[in-house]
């Protein structure tokens, strides 16, 4: 019997209009454009402004465009997974809100939380539903409104993050394209270095938690940096070795966009040149679950059927992982 694989048959991204530049950040915290650019590679990021605007807005816009591009009727969607760390609410799932807004009446939908590795986790999970043969159209969204949990008085963390999201459509194929392999990892002992102190069941919101600024990202930047460099490079090298791929066989590295220095270290380890690395950190910063689909969207016109892509991410949890996929279509 021929193996059914999941292929990405379309991608779309969406970012809000408001551009928060390094120059503007210089007026908010004690920093400089030069420091941010040289330490992270980020020049600007997008911010979702407006009352009542949550992560679902990013997802809804990304999915609407995806359905249009791929000529998909919302009623055909079987499953919608939203990878996010900044859900609209603690419950219901942001995926439920997105599915309702786009009219995916026949879909079941759920959120997946794996911080910056969320999209890789969700594509791997979504592809398994396709591989069983039971589901035909799975939408995977990666979106985060990071500005909702960032302390704009804390200069080491606030310069990194931005808002944005993207979505892909997964469909079955019997051709030699699609999701070929994935490696997913987690290590909960890393929680101490990157977490949000309050607002969960362990420490519900109170006047005191708000006064103590405990509803924002707590990040020990240099500790996270060391784990990210090692693990993102290791898992990328591991998935290449597992699939007998050399640097020259890889058409594109699609890395999570957290810090240009982490991305460079991963590319060096994979022995691939910078011309093969998708990069948009300079314009969007770290959009957490949004970075990888936003990269695929930005570079879609350069992708050809059969291209070998390695998607790699590292994030809070700690979580990390890599996907090896063969791109399934030529540019239109
Ligand atoms: C956050 C990060 C950019 C900080 O860069 P860094 O090189 O590690 O910087 P450090 O925290 O060691 O700080 C170095 C110095 O710069 C200063 N500094 C920190 N932020 C600054 C800013 N925005 N502007 C100017 N100076 C800054 C520090 O105070 C420190 O000064 P000191 O040497 O006088 O004490 C980097 O650690 C990082 O990218 N970490 C990984 C983040 C990540 O991937 N997170 C998401 C998980 S996916």
């Amino acid at each position: 019997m021929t193996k059914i694989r999941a292929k990405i048959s379309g991608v779309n991204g969406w970012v809000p209009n408001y551009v928060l530049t390094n120059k503007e950040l210089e007026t908010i915290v004690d920093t400089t454009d030069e420091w941010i650019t040289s330490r992270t590679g980020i020049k600007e990021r997008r911010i979702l402004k407006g009352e009542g605007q949550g992560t679902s807005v990013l997802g809804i816009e990304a999915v609407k465009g995806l359905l249009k591009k791929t000529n998909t009727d919302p009623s055909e969607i079987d499953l919608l997974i939203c990878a996010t760390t900044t859900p609209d609410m603690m419950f219901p799932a942001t995926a439920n809100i997105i599915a309702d807004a786009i009219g995916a009446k026949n879909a079941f939908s759920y959120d997946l939380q794996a911080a910056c590795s969320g999209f890789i986790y969700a594509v791997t999970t979504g592809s398994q539903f396709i591989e069983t043969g039971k589901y035909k159209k799975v939408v995977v969204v990666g979106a985060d409104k990071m500005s909702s949990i960032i302390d704009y008085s804390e200069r080491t963390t606030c310069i990194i993050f931005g808002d944005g999201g993207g979505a892909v459509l997964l469909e079955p194929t019997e051709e030699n394209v699609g999701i070929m392999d994935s490696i997913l990892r987690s290590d909960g002992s890393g929680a101490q270095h990157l977490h949000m102190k309050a607002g969960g069941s362990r420490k519900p919101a109170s006047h005191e938690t708000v006064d103590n600024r405990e509803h924002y990202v707590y990040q020990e930047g240099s500790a996270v940096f060391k784990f990210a460099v090692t693990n993102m490079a290791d898992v990328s090298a591991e998935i290449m070795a597992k699939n007998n791929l050399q640097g020259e066989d890889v058409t594109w590295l699609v890395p999570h966009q957290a810090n240009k220095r982490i991305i460079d270290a991963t590319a060096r380890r994979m022995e691939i040149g910078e011309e093969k690395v998708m990069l948009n950190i300079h314009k969007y910063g770290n959009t957490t679950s949004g970075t990888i689909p936003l990269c695929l969207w930005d570079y879609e016109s350069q992708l050809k059927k059969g291209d070998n892509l390695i998607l790699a991410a590292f994030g809070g949890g700690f979580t990390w992982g890599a996907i090896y996929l063969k791109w399934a279509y030529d540019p239109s």
Side-chain angles (χ1 to χ4, degrees), residues 30-32 35-36 39-40 116 155-156 159-161 194 219 221-222 224-225 228 256 258-259 261-262 286 314-316:
D30 180 15
T31 192
T32 59
W35 193 96
I36 302 171
R39 295 291 179 117
T40 68
C116 295
R155 67 175 180 172
T156 316
I159 50 128
I160 300 178
F161 293 97
L194 184 53
Q219 174 171 271
S222 51
V224 176
F225 185 87
H256 171 53
N259 187 314
R261 292 183 289 145
I262 300 173
N286 182 352
F314 179 87

Side-chain angles (χ1 to χ4, degrees), residues 15-244:
V15 289
N17 288 331
Y18 190 87
V19 179
L20 174 58
T21 61
N22 290 351
K23 280 278 164 218
E24 187 178 346
L25 276 173
E26 285 179 1
T27 67
I28 300 171
V29 285
D30 180 15
T31 192
T32 59
D33 173 37
E34 198 282 326
W35 193 96
I36 302 171
T37 308
S38 62
R39 295 291 179 117
T40 68
I42 302 166
K43 295 297 286 182
E44 58 189 43
R45 64 291 290 141
R46 301 300 180 98
I47 303 294
L48 182 61
K49 301 246 180 188
E51 196 75 15
Q53 304 280 293
T55 292
S56 65
V57 172
L58 308 167
I60 290 164
E61 294 302 329
V63 178
K64 273 187 186 164
L66 176 71
L67 299 184
K68 200 166 165 206
K69 273 173 87 170
T70 56
N71 249 326
T72 306
D73 190 279
S75 64
E76 295 174 68
I77 302 170
D78 300 308
L79 162 63
L80 187 148
I81 307 173
C82 179
T84 188
T85 304
T86 50
D88 279 24
M89 302 175 227
M90 190 81 106
F91 73 92
T94 300
N96 303 156
I97 297 169
I98 296 171
D100 176 56
I102 60 157
K105 298 212 173 312
N106 298 314
F108 72 107
S109 54
Y110 62 87
D111 283 0
L112 192 154
Q113 208 281 75
C116 295
S117 310
F119 186 73
I120 297 232
Y121 270 50
V123 166
T124 303
T125 312
S127 67
Q128 319 273 310
F129 283 93
I130 301 272
E131 285 167 19
T132 63
K134 192 169 171 190
Y135 300 95
K136 304 287 182 231
K137 287 186 195 286
V138 174
V139 170
V140 176
V141 179
D144 272 297
K145 184 187 172 186
M146 292 306 291
S147 62
S148 64
I149 55 168
I150 292 301
D151 183 349
Y152 286 94
S153 68
E154 213 282 280
R155 67 175 180 172
T156 316
T157 308
C158 77
I159 50 128
I160 300 178
F161 293 97
D163 303 339
V168 294
L169 178 63
L170 299 176
E171 291 184 278
T173 180
E174 292 186 0
E175 289 187 274
N176 189 34
V177 293
I179 316 298
M180 311 302 281
D181 196 11
S182 68
I183 300 174
L184 302 179
R185 296 265 151 74
S186 64
D187 176 0
S189 69
Q192 58 184 306
H193 303 295
L194 184 53
H195 58 264
M196 189 192 287
K197 295 198 180 298
S201 54
R202 190 187 287 189
K203 200 174 192 186
S206 65
H207 287 291
E208 193 191 349
T209 61
V210 172
D211 289 345
N212 292 339
R213 309 182 81 77
E214 290 179 328
H215 297 273
Y216 295 122
V217 172
Y218 169 82
Q219 174 171 271
E220 295 163 7
S222 51
V224 176
F225 185 87
K226 283 180 201 131
F227 281 103
V229 164
T230 309
N231 288 315
M232 208 162 106
D234 279 357
V235 78
S236 305
E238 187 182 342
I239 203 162
M240 284 172 70
K242 202 171 152 214
N243 291 279
N244 292 317

